Amino acid sequence: MNGDLNIPTCNEFNSMLGKPTINDFVALKGQRKIVCLTAYSAPMANVLDPHCDLLLVGDSVWMVVYGMDNTQSVDLNTMIRHGQAVMRRRKSALVVIDLPSGSYEISPEQALVSANEVINKTGADAVKLEGGREVRESIERILSAGIPVMGHLGLTPQSIYKFGTYTVRAKEDMEAEQLRKDAKMLDEIGCFSVVFEKIPAQLATEVSKSIHCPTIGIGAGSGCDGQVLVLPDMLGITQEFSPRFLRRYLNMGEQMNSAIQQYVKDVRSRDFPNADEQY
Ligand code: KIV
């Protein structure tokens, strides 16, 4: 309950309505591994929702759906549109939406305005934003307004112009030490979870054990509390991207290719449409 006001908290409301809650998600730490995938559309959300604890409307949408080279220039409206589509089909998974680059770094006020817009227009459960100490005040401002925040450390694709490459982060002692401090800080200020992207497995395991909130890894080894993959990558829709951490569960690109070749054949041979497929 919310102190003296005696009104239920957002978590309690959701729980009463049978909706997923942040508390339920956090409680999974230490109980079982947490399953997350990215989702960008209603049909995808429909398929994923029964299987996943969390659906991430990642700014990776800009690369894997729109074909851009990086996530840099995606805007808030695009994230909102995809967030709305996913929310139309979510039933039991938490939905988290990425705040895009440029929508939270200028000031804590800017961060809160962006987070509010995303949550109010989509009804999603939380926002995710990249970075540690440099965005601490923005995260605190969003949290102070009651919006749950997921952190993101290690390889932070929105900083691609700063780092210049997508290679493994925090291999050197100094960067690893900074990551430990940032993770501790995000945990202490109240992030409900933190994504670790492309960092050494040993470091991810150590930090996962030392903080209270669940850690979700992508290229960060098996010691994280859960895993996330970018859906079109794990389904083999995107084919040009094959980092070591990526396990492909399907080769959908190839399957689509043969289906389309068959369709071409059928149209050209007048096999499609047949008598049952017309009015
Ligand atoms: O944008 C995204 O899909 C992400 C995941 C890689 C964690 O941030």
Side-chain angles (χ1 to χ4, degrees), residues 38 40 56 58-60 98 128 130 152 195 197 218 228 230:
T38 66
Y40 317 104
L56 173 65
D59 59 358
S60 51
D98 262 341
K128 173 164 86 57
E130 296 182 5
H152 184 152
V195 169
E197 181 164 352
I218 174 163
V228 63
V230 170

Side-chain angles (χ1 to χ4, degrees), residues 68-138:
M68 305 300 277
D69 288 338
N70 55 53
T71 59
Q72 213 58 35
S73 52
V74 66
D75 56 64
L76 208 59
N77 281 339
T78 303
M79 297 310 302
I80 289 171
R81 278 287 160 81
H82 287 277
Q84 288 168 335
V86 167
M87 284 300 291
R88 281 185 199 115
R89 290 295 176 274
R90 103 62 192 267
K91 290 193 183 75
S92 61
L94 276 190
V95 174
V96 177
I97 302 182
D98 262 341
L99 286 188
S101 169
S103 72
Y104 59 90
E105 304 92 330
I106 295 173
S107 67
E109 287 64 39
Q110 183 213 22
L112 180 58
V113 169
S114 301
N116 257 327
E117 194 175 341
V118 166
I119 298 298
N120 292 343
K121 290 188 173 167
T122 63
D125 301 291
V127 294
K128 173 164 86 57
L129 49 99
E130 296 182 5
R133 63 213 173 283
E134 66 281 12
V135 288
R136 176 183 179 144
E137 288 176 12
S138 291

Side-chain angles (χ1 to χ4, degrees), residues 10-26 28 49 52-55 87 90-96 123-126 148:
C10 188
N11 258 302
E12 287 164 342
F13 256 129
N14 278 348
S15 191
M16 286 189 257
L17 296 170
K19 287 193 192 161
T21 70
I22 297 285
N23 287 351
D24 296 338
F25 179 88
V26 173
L28 294 173
D49 182 86
C52 293
D53 299 306
L54 183 148
L55 300 180
M87 284 300 291
R90 103 62 192 267
K91 290 193 183 75
S92 61
L94 276 190
V95 174
V96 177
D125 301 291

